[in-house]
Amino acid sequence: MHIYDQAMVLLTCITFFFLILPTSTSLDTILVHQNISDGETIVSGNTKFELGFFSPGNSKSRYLGIWFKNTSPQTVVWVANRETPLLDNSGAVKLDTQGNLTLVNGSGKVIWSSNSSASGIDINLVAQLLDTGNMVVKNGNTTNDEGNFMWQSFDYPGDTCLPGIKLGKNFISGRETYHTSWRSADDPAQGEYTLKALVVKGKFPQMYIRRNTIIKTRTGPYNGISFSGPANYAPDANPAAVSYVIENQNGIYITYISKSNTTTLRAIVTPSGKLEIWQIKFPNPEWMLIATSPEDYCDNYGVCGSYGSCTIVTSPNCGCLKGFELKKSDETNPDNDTSVCRRSIALDCGPREGFLKFSSMKLPDTENASFSSNISLLDCEVACKNNCSCTAFANPYVTPGRVGCLLWYGDLIDVRVFSQKGQDLYVRLAASELPEFNSNFHGKKRLVLVVALSISAMLTLLGFILALCIRRKWKMSSDARRSSQMGSAGLVVPLFGLSKISRATNEFSIDNILGEGGFGPVYKGVLEEGLEIAVKRLSKSSQQGLDEFKNEVICIAKLQHRNLVKLLGYCIQGDERMLIYEHMPNKSLDGFLFDGSRKSLLDWSQRFNIISGIARGLLYLHEDSRLKVVHRDLKAGNILLDHKMCPKISDFGLARMFKEDERETNTKRVVGTLGYISPEYAMNGHFSVKSDIFSFGVLVLEIVSGKKNRDFVHEDHDNNLLGHAWRLHKEGKSLDLIDECLHPSNSACEVSRSVHIGLLCVQQRVEDRPNTPTLVAMLGGEGSLPSPKKPAFFIQESGIRSTSILPLPLASLNGVTLSEIYGR
Ligand SMILES: *[C@@H]1O[C@H](CO)[C@@H](O)[C@H](O)[C@H]1NC(C)=O
Ligand SMILES: *[C@@H]1O[C@H](CO)[C@@H](O)[C@H](O)[C@H]1NC(C)=O
Ligand SMILES: *[C@@H]1O[C@H](CO)[C@@H](O)[C@H](O)[C@H]1NC(C)=O
Ligand SMILES: *[C@@H]1O[C@H](CO)[C@@H](O)[C@H](O)[C@H]1NC(C)=O
Ligand SMILES: *[C@@H]1O[C@H](CO)[C@@H](O)[C@H](O)[C@H]1NC(C)=O
Ligand SMILES: *[C@@H]1O[C@H](CO)[C@@H](O)[C@H](O)[C@H]1NC(C)=O
Ligand SMILES: *[C@@H]1O[C@H](CO)[C@@H](O)[C@H](O)[C@H]1NC(C)=O
Ligand SMILES: *[C@@H]1O[C@H](CO)[C@@H](O)[C@H](O)[C@H]1NC(C)=O
Ligand SMILES: *[C@@H]1O[C@H](CO)[C@@H](O)[C@H](O)[C@H]1NC(C)=O
Ligand SMILES: *[C@@H]1O[C@H](CO)[C@@H](O)[C@H](O)[C@H]1NC(C)=O
């Protein structure tokens, strides 16, 4: 037994010896006079990282590098000899007594060295791979504090940023630490792209990706947690890492730490110039790409020019910030068509100048901005206001309670709108561009307005008499001689020449068609000045006289409200009649609501804003404008969205132009759109504001559910969307109606109230539907709501049913429109 025991011990020792000795995997250090040759590796104490020789991709060349030990595929984070590969497996790395870590090839030739050096010979030196993936040279008896490191690989990063790497500048040595891309996946040599932090005393940090010297993309400024941009695309609201800025007399650096031991983030600049952020959640060994920058068109640096703003959901993506408009960059040279965003109204640094708040923004380039910490937003505004060259300000921090003041001087560059997690930017504008100015105008300046209106009324009367006199002449005059403006009660509607509109719309090219409404196609155009327009080319069936047409235009132009599309002008030539509207970059609501891939761009608060905005627009049409207008074709396709997703009702007031037509062919001509039409209108041709309320109710239920009333099918019953909503409401499950792509957990109340209001609007009996002021009040959250009864048309319409209730040929129904204007 005794002998046997001894033999066992010996055997165990031998086994142990053979298991351990051939490779030094248990070691995390290289000692003086020791060397690691190809095939051997050292591993960090936590076994996360490994240092050794490798060949990237399809390459045969050998490199000394550090990689994540247990992740797949092999993820290299640092390379020593990036530019000087070994051509075979004969290399070795060793540490000399001065602390110089060197890589030699088979002939003993040094092909890379760390150049670190101790003050004298120190046999206790080690090169150690730390748990962070940092290879350091230090005295082996000292702690792992940065002050003890003679050299560290974190000071010479390659394409990969790990927690703890500090990008920035040492003001004493002048040395800058930044990332450079690999040349290709097979070649770690320095590529074309760099990722550098803007680290200058007094300037606010942000990061640039440059191709050679040209800035390709910029992360937004530091926001207290990370750098906006890639962080805005990352799905995780609670990031696994936190960035912070280190500033002392020696330098400024930015760095980040992982918040949990089981999650690691790494950032990499790829050979094609993208910043990618990858995340791993141990023990799952696979990397997940969580964010990329540039991710989309708007991430291209300064793509919309100074004072331009890029929005990915609009087409085109570029526009000017509000208060700015496209103007020719070179007015002296007529051949140069390049346009840039310039102020609509110049600044004069007067006391009434102020700031307009832009929300959800990527803050502009901070290169020329100044920063002061711990300054409140109010004091920041005062600071900006007091310096005439200050163009904008913002609090860069998103963390609650943390304040700072960023002041921009000069142009605002590289601004974009984020779909989520953007920041507020306050831009200096002339007094008349600010909403306060306009409300003052309506309040305090009422008297002035009254006087102005009286004067203009007199002028109108004079103009009318004059017009009567020259009417004959008018009729005979050619287009060219037509006055370019016409006025009524101070209202000016510009007349556009056909040639101008034709040029703007690329000769009414099919490619420019935005949509086809009941009164003819709508074209997108860009005027030479750069202004984008939508041109409604009225179908020739309305053979209206010139004067009548002009009167209608004036009527429509009088309808002005922030929730109505604005008429910019008109065009008459021969039998062409056109209305020119402001262009709505986001097109119509149906393009979002009913499109599987775009519907998630509309979150609940936006949807609710849209519902409320439409209601306010309707209130104006029904009650507040001088004309009482029933729209008669309210539907998702007629709700346009501006760049801030603010809804604008379109196609209102058009019926007047087609009045005669309608009278003539009441049964042939169309009276709305199936799915939105009220029962009394469909069956008896009776319409009133309450018919619009009905359509509005359908629209509300569509906005909540993201489903078309017309196309709605349910596997369990044959109710249409209205019937389905009612059924859910009765069962107390209104929230189930909500679009699957929404998770409005903290607006449940608003959702169910909206469904309730929608149902009240689609009641069979006209008197059961709310009137418009009540509707707006209800949406404002006022008062308790009556219980809805069974809605009209709650069964899915079949073709037969549709034709039986509508004395109209079905084919002509889609998208066609009529409305009516009553004089009050
Ligand atoms: C590595 O060290 C071993 C002894 O430990 C020595 O025989 C060998 O020559 C060294 N290789 C290099 C390249 O220095
Ligand atoms: C080592 O490098 C030198 C100089 O680059 C070269 O001449 C030599 O052939 C290399 N030896 C091996 C074994 O690669
Ligand atoms: C070390 O010094 C040599 C010679 O001065 C130089 O060629 C090499 O680039 C330096 N290595 C590093 C990593 O800076
Ligand atoms: C480190 O070693 C290399 C190769 O022997 C040498 O060229 C370099 O000067 C050394 N650096 C220092 C700081 O000793
Ligand atoms: C320093 O480390 C060496 C081995 O690396 C050891 O022999 C020596 O005792 C240590 N000295 C102290 C003061 O700990
Ligand atoms: C992370 O690791 C550190 C050091 O190993 C340990 O002190 C800490 O408790 C760990 N934290 C978590 C959340 O596991
Ligand atoms: C037009 O003017 C801008 C700004 O002055 C200039 O950058 C651009 O090169 C000019 N383009 C042409 C075609 O001359
Ligand atoms: C900052 O100012 C410099 C010098 O006027 C200018 O060249 C540069 O374009 C400006 N940068 C930004 C982002 O405005
Ligand atoms: C920030 O300012 C407030 C009041 O101005 C002061 O009470 C607070 O101590 C300041 N905080 C820091 C971190 O300086
Ligand atoms: C306004 O700010 C600029 C830039 O910081 C500065 O150069 C200038 O002196 C300031 N002007 C005033 C009146 O404070």
Side-chain angles (χ1 to χ4, degrees):
M1 279 295 257
H2 206 77
I3 291 167
Y4 180 75
D5 265 352
Q6 280 184 348
M8 258 315 262
V9 170
L10 190 64
L11 196 65
T12 313
C13 285
I14 291 168
T15 315
F16 187 70
F17 184 80
F18 273 100
L19 274 179
I20 297 307
L21 203 66
T23 61
S24 21
T25 44
S26 64
L27 297 176
D28 62 359
T29 50
I30 301 173
L31 304 174
V32 171
H33 297 312
Q34 192 188 19
N35 67 43
I36 304 285
S37 57
D38 202 339
E40 298 174 327
T41 61
I42 65 168
V43 174
S44 63
N46 61 357
T47 70
K48 245 186 182 175
F49 295 97
E50 191 166 28
L51 177 138
F53 293 84
F54 73 100
S55 295
N58 298 322
S59 169
K60 296 266 182 310
S61 301
R62 302 294 286 168
Y63 295 88
L64 176 68
I66 299 170
W67 56 85
F68 277 94
K69 182 167 163 57
N70 292 317
T71 73
S72 70
Q74 185 183 48
T75 310
V76 175
V77 296
W78 181 77
V79 183
N81 53 326
R82 292 182 74 174
E83 311 287 339
T84 48
L86 292 160
L87 304 174
D88 57 22
N89 289 13
S90 63
V93 58
K94 51 187 183 182
L95 184 66
D96 70 17
T97 47
Q98 267 118 48
N100 201 351
L101 193 65
T102 56
L103 176 63
V104 294
N105 74 5
S107 325
K109 172 110 175 93
V110 174
I111 60 165
W112 177 86
S113 62
S114 67
N115 294 340
S116 41
S117 68
S119 44
I121 292 172
D122 180 353
I123 53 147
N124 289 332
L125 288 176
V126 292
Q128 183 175 0
L129 183 57
L130 303 184
D131 289 353
T132 52
N134 190 8
M135 183 77 179
V136 303
V137 176
K138 59 161 202 166
N139 180 300
N141 305 44
T142 57
T143 56
N144 286 336
D145 289 326
E146 207 176 335
N148 296 329
F149 301 158
M150 291 160 52
W151 180 88
Q152 58 175 334
S153 62
F154 273 14
D155 281 344
Y156 302 87
D159 66 345
T160 301
C161 194
L162 291 174
I165 289 186
K166 292 186 288 180
L167 294 190
K169 195 154 188 173
N170 182 321
F171 293 141
I172 294 164
S173 67
R175 218 178 68 79
E176 190 173 356
T177 308
Y178 58 92
H179 294 288
T180 50
S181 67
W182 285 17
R183 198 164 288 162
S184 73
D186 295 342
D187 184 0
Q190 195 162 315
E192 291 180 299
Y193 293 93
T194 58
L195 173 69
K196 290 191 188 188
L198 172 75
V199 277
V200 178
K201 268 190 186 136
K203 294 200 171 171
F204 200 68
Q206 58 184 6
M207 285 192 276
Y208 296 112
I209 294 178
R210 287 188 181 80
R211 178 179 200 165
N212 302 317
T213 57
I214 312 286
I215 300 174
K216 300 307 284 183
T217 195
R218 175 185 71 102
T219 70
Y222 179 63
N223 66 15
I225 302 170
S226 64
F227 291 81
S228 67
N232 291 57
Y233 314 128
D236 214 338
N238 186 18
V242 174
S243 301
Y244 54 101
V245 177
I246 303 168
E247 180 162 4
N248 54 37
Q249 65 267 45
N250 296 342
I252 305 180
Y253 301 96
I254 59 174
T255 185
Y256 73 101
I257 50 166
S258 266
K259 286 210 301 199
S260 112
N261 291 351
T262 55
T263 309
T264 294
L265 288 189
R266 72 184 162 93
I268 173 171
V269 204
T270 67
S272 60
K274 282 185 186 256
L275 172 63
E276 289 180 349
I277 299 177
W278 295 80
Q279 177 175 308
I280 201 163
K281 285 185 176 167
F282 298 108
N284 178 355
E286 261 158 58
W287 288 100
M288 195 170 68
L289 180 63
I290 59 166
T292 307
S293 180
E295 136 130 320
D296 55 30
Y297 177 76
C298 290
D299 276 343
N300 291 310
Y301 179 76
V303 71
C304 298
S306 304
Y307 302 109
S309 170
C310 195
T311 313
I312 204 65
V313 295
T314 67
S315 165
N317 302 115
C318 281
C320 294
L321 289 170
K322 189 173 180 305
F324 296 80
E325 58 196 19
L326 275 179
K327 294 187 178 169
K328 275 196 163 184
S329 61
D330 184 359
E331 269 138 22
T332 56
N333 177 2
D335 296 336
N336 190 335
D337 274 342
T338 353
S339 296
V340 291
C341 294
R342 295 259 166 81
R343 280 184 193 281
S344 307
I345 296 172
L347 295 179
D348 56 6
C349 207
R352 284 169 53 237
E353 262 175 28
F355 298 90
L356 187 65
K357 173 174 165 180
F358 293 79
S359 298
S360 204
M361 308 303 278
K362 174 181 182 179
L363 298 180
D365 195 324
T366 59
E367 188 192 351
N368 297 333
S370 73
F371 177 71
S372 320
S373 57
N374 204 18
I375 304 262
S376 73
L377 198 62
L378 197 63
D379 292 337
C380 192
E381 174 167 356
V382 171
C384 192
K385 190 150 188 179
N386 285 343
N387 185 325
C388 295
S389 47
C390 176
T391 46
F393 70 92
N395 173 14
Y397 297 125
V398 297
T399 30
R402 190 166 180 193
V403 288
C405 177
L406 256 176
L407 299 174
W408 281 268
Y409 304 95
D411 291 1
L412 304 178
I413 294 174
D414 197 35
V415 174
R416 69 170 291 175
V417 180
F418 280 130
S419 55
Q420 54 173 340
K421 297 190 261 176
Q423 288 170 259
D424 293 340
L425 173 71
Y426 299 83
V427 178
R428 188 185 209 112
L429 290 181
S432 59
E433 297 277 349
L434 299 170
E436 296 93 271
F437 177 83
N438 295 317
S439 52
N440 281 347
F441 186 75
H442 290 310
K444 295 176 202 158
K445 305 289 164 65
R446 205 173 189 112
L447 187 64
V448 181
L449 186 68
V450 170
V451 174
L453 279 179
S454 323
I455 294 175
S456 59
M458 274 167 62
L459 288 177
T460 314
L461 193 63
L462 272 174
F464 186 65
I465 296 167
L466 204 65
L468 279 179
C469 299
I470 56 170
R471 188 176 173 155
R472 201 166 282 268
K473 261 191 162 177
W474 243 100
K475 282 207 154 154
M476 281 153 38
S477 67
S478 72
D479 291 324
R481 281 164 57 208
R482 263 180 209 149
S483 145
S484 72
Q485 303 205 313
M486 54 186 181
S488 166
L491 202 78
V492 175
V493 192
L495 172 73
F496 289 83
L498 181 61
S499 55
K500 186 174 177 127
I501 299 303
S502 178
R503 269 200 307 281
T505 56
N506 207 357
E507 255 115 63
F508 299 101
S509 148
I510 297 180
D511 297 339
N512 284 36
I513 293 189
L514 288 171
E516 189 103 24
F519 297 100
V522 183
Y523 295 84
K524 190 192 159 182
V526 185
L527 296 178
E528 277 142 11
E529 306 80 281
L531 183 70
E532 293 186 358
I533 52 171
V535 179
K536 188 156 195 112
R537 194 182 198 182
L538 299 174
S539 54
K540 293 183 184 152
S541 56
S542 143
Q543 288 304 334
Q544 255 181 342
L546 203 63
D547 294 351
E548 285 166 280
F549 178 72
K550 283 193 301 171
N551 285 334
E552 298 311 333
V553 170
I554 290 170
C555 280
I556 294 177
K558 273 182 203 153
L559 298 169
Q560 289 201 13
H561 185 268
R562 65 186 300 258
N563 296 111
L564 301 183
V565 174
K566 191 171 164 196
L567 183 73
L568 300 175
Y570 69 108
C571 169
I572 313 175
Q573 191 149 357
D575 51 4
E576 288 280 10
R577 304 273 187 280
M578 280 171 244
L579 295 175
I580 291 112
Y581 291 97
E582 59 180 336
H583 174 62
M584 289 291 125
N586 282 329
K587 309 215 179 107
S588 54
L589 179 59
D590 55 346
F592 286 92
L593 274 191
F594 310 134
D595 181 321
S597 59
R598 298 179 82 210
K599 54 168 47 185
S600 62
L601 294 170
L602 284 182
D603 63 21
W604 172 252
S605 70
Q606 279 168 321
R607 291 189 194 208
F608 189 69
N609 283 341
I610 290 171
I611 293 174
S612 309
I614 301 168
R616 283 191 299 267
L618 267 191
L619 180 64
Y620 175 83
L621 286 176
H622 290 169
E623 307 274 338
D624 294 348
S625 66
R626 293 201 295 134
L627 311 148
K628 183 177 181 142
V629 179
V630 178
H631 190 293
R632 290 178 73 183
D633 196 16
L634 203 59
K635 57 178 173 181
N638 274 341
I639 305 300
L640 306 185
L641 297 170
D642 74 1
H643 64 286
K644 284 186 180 159
M645 294 297 193
C646 171
K648 310 238 177 189
I649 302 174
S650 74
D651 268 18
F652 49 87
L654 275 188
R656 244 177 112 106
M657 284 181 191
F658 286 79
K659 207 157 45 182
E660 271 149 85
D661 209 30
E662 182 213 350
R663 217 177 288 135
E664 236 169 68
T665 58
N666 202 8
T667 50
K668 221 169 52 195
R669 189 119 198 127
V670 191
V671 237
T673 303
L674 220 55
Y676 293 93
I677 226 167
S678 64
E680 72 279 7
Y681 190 16
M683 293 189 226
N684 308 322
H686 293 161
F687 60 85
S688 64
V689 293
K690 293 287 183 80
S691 335
D692 278 355
I693 296 289
F694 184 93
S695 311
F696 176 79
V698 176
L699 198 44
V700 168
L701 297 175
E702 290 187 335
I703 292 172
V704 171
S705 65
K707 299 199 178 59
K708 249 191 190 135
N709 186 27
R710 277 209 69 187
D711 300 345
F712 184 83
V713 277
H714 196 283
E715 54 196 24
D716 299 339
H717 54 69
D718 64 351
N719 288 5
N720 64 8
L721 180 62
L722 310 189
H724 180 58
W726 187 58
R727 184 186 277 256
L728 289 174
H729 176 81
K730 269 195 314 182
E731 292 166 7
K733 298 193 293 190
S734 303
L735 288 181
D736 290 0
L737 191 66
I738 188 109
D739 206 337
E740 306 91 56
C741 71
L742 296 184
H743 314 282
S745 46
N746 42 18
S747 6
C749 201
E750 230 170 55
V751 173
S752 50
R753 195 173 173 92
S754 300
V755 173
H756 194 148
I757 295 170
L759 285 170
L760 289 174
C761 292
V762 295
Q763 297 292 289
Q764 170 82 32
R765 280 153 42 97
V766 166
E767 50 279 21
D768 289 338
R769 299 177 208 150
N771 63 27
T772 328
T774 311
L775 171 67
V776 171
M778 284 174 167
L779 283 168
E782 287 168 29
S784 59
L785 304 174
S787 284
K789 301 177 190 143
K790 189 164 74 180
F793 298 151
F794 72 107
I795 303 289
Q796 187 62 44
E797 305 149 25
S798 68
I800 295 161
R801 197 187 165 90
S802 300
T803 42
S804 68
I805 57 164
L806 296 173
L808 315 163
L810 271 178
S812 64
L813 278 169
N814 262 347
V816 198
T817 305
L818 267 192
S819 19
E820 182 77 340
I821 300 176
Y822 299 101
R824 258 205 172 165

